[in-house]
Amino acid sequence: MGRTMHGIEYNEVRDEIIVPQQFAQAIITFPGDATGAQEPIRVIQGSRTQLKEPDTLALDAVNGEIFVPESRRVLVFSVEADGNVAPVRVLEQAAGSRLAVDPVNDLLIAASNSGIFIYERTAEGNAKPIRAIEGPSLKLTGLRAVRLYPPRGLIFAAIRGADDKEPYVGVWSIHDEGDVPPRWTFAGPGQTLVKPFGMAIDPKNQTVIVSDMKQNAVLSYHVPEIFGETLR
């Protein structure tokens, strides 16, 4: 384990914890009840994996796949992969380093400071995005996390802003395209959020949970107006 694990995911289907290990160039999986100095149950590692500096990852628990961004590429592995195994597919020239998977609408979201790019979930090779949300209206500088709520077609992005001075959480639709501002924003400057880093979605309680690196805190925002509408 190391301090640069920025993309821990929980697989609720298999009750497993999946973690990228940058120093070991590996993806490691633990049982959900792991505690103490417990060894992983699976390790994806070796020359065939093409892993170099895995910093984050995204999980598709429904289809049993792990998505790992690596230098403008996305490596996709089975959740059952173990050892020195090749990816099941590779998306070349992916346009974002923060990923989220929508198994309901069969989409892969790749987000970065330059935009939010929407691919088919099974895209590979030199496949292009089917839609791109990009332009000055987005103000995506310092984008740190992206999450999806597939039943409503929502994309949540936690953003630090220029020089970490304009933090906010923005919400777009998977149907948005071009230079469009977010449908909703919250937790903006002066509203408690300082330096967002990680994010989780709790639809049952209509809540978005954001970790704040500067405050060493976890902040919860109740936003029922966002979860109550299907977007088109």
Side-chain angles (χ1 to χ4, degrees), residues 112-143:
S112 67
N113 290 350
S114 59
I116 299 171
F117 303 92
I118 303 170
Y119 295 85
E120 294 181 349
R121 180 183 60 82
T122 56
E124 60 182 319
N126 292 314
K128 303 300 181 184
I130 56 178
R131 280 184 297 281
I133 308 170
E134 56 184 337
S137 296
L138 276 69
K139 298 182 179 179
L140 293 178
T141 302
L143 186 147

Side-chain angles (χ1 to χ4, degrees), residues 10-232:
Y10 174 66
N11 187 338
E12 61 184 14
V13 174
R14 300 173 62 95
D15 187 27
E16 294 176 346
I17 300 167
I18 306 172
V19 185
Q21 220 304 357
Q22 191 178 64
F23 302 142
Q25 299 177 312
I27 304 297
I28 56 180
T29 300
F30 295 94
D33 61 354
T35 185
Q38 185 164 334
E39 292 186 1
I41 54 178
R42 288 187 298 280
V43 178
I44 303 172
Q45 183 185 46
S47 58
R48 297 184 64 202
T49 69
Q50 304 179 45
L51 294 169
K52 296 180 179 179
E53 294 180 305
D55 179 54
T56 65
L57 57 82
L59 171 68
D60 178 0
V62 173
N63 294 290
E65 293 185 327
I66 303 166
F67 293 70
V68 185
E70 276 277 13
S71 302
R72 293 188 62 82
R73 307 170 78 215
V74 176
L75 312 179
V76 185
F77 300 91
S78 166
V79 295
E80 297 179 346
D82 190 19
N84 187 11
V85 296
V88 295
R89 63 182 179 277
V90 178
L91 175 60
E92 303 286 353
Q93 298 301 313
S97 60
R98 304 294 171 180
L99 306 179
V101 185
D102 180 346
V104 174
N105 300 291
D106 265 342
L107 299 175
L108 168 66
I109 309 300
S112 67
N113 290 350
S114 59
I116 299 171
F117 303 92
I118 303 170
Y119 295 85
E120 294 181 349
R121 180 183 60 82
T122 56
E124 60 182 319
N126 292 314
K128 303 300 181 184
I130 56 178
R131 280 184 297 281
I133 308 170
E134 56 184 337
S137 296
L138 276 69
K139 298 182 179 179
L140 293 178
T141 302
L143 186 147
R144 289 303 309 176
V146 60
R147 292 288 181 179
L148 294 172
Y149 181 47
R152 296 286 188 253
L154 302 176
I155 304 170
F156 294 78
I159 297 155
R160 292 181 179 181
D163 299 321
D164 295 338
K165 293 180 179 179
E166 297 179 302
Y168 73 99
V169 176
V171 185
W172 285 265
S173 166
I174 59 172
H175 306 287
D176 287 338
E177 187 171 11
D179 185 9
V180 293
R183 306 285 186 105
W184 292 278
T185 61
F186 60 94
Q191 299 177 17
T192 68
L193 192 62
V194 178
K195 194 173 184 178
F197 201 92
M199 180 171 51
I201 306 299
D202 178 7
K204 180 180 178 180
N205 295 297
Q206 300 179 316
T207 299
V208 179
I209 303 163
V210 186
S211 62
D212 191 310
M213 183 178 179
K214 191 75 171 182
Q215 300 186 78
N216 195 27
V218 176
L219 311 176
S220 297
Y221 299 91
H222 185 226
V223 284
E225 68 278 9
I226 296 177
F227 287 97
E229 180 183 353
T230 300
L231 299 183
R232 286 291 184 268

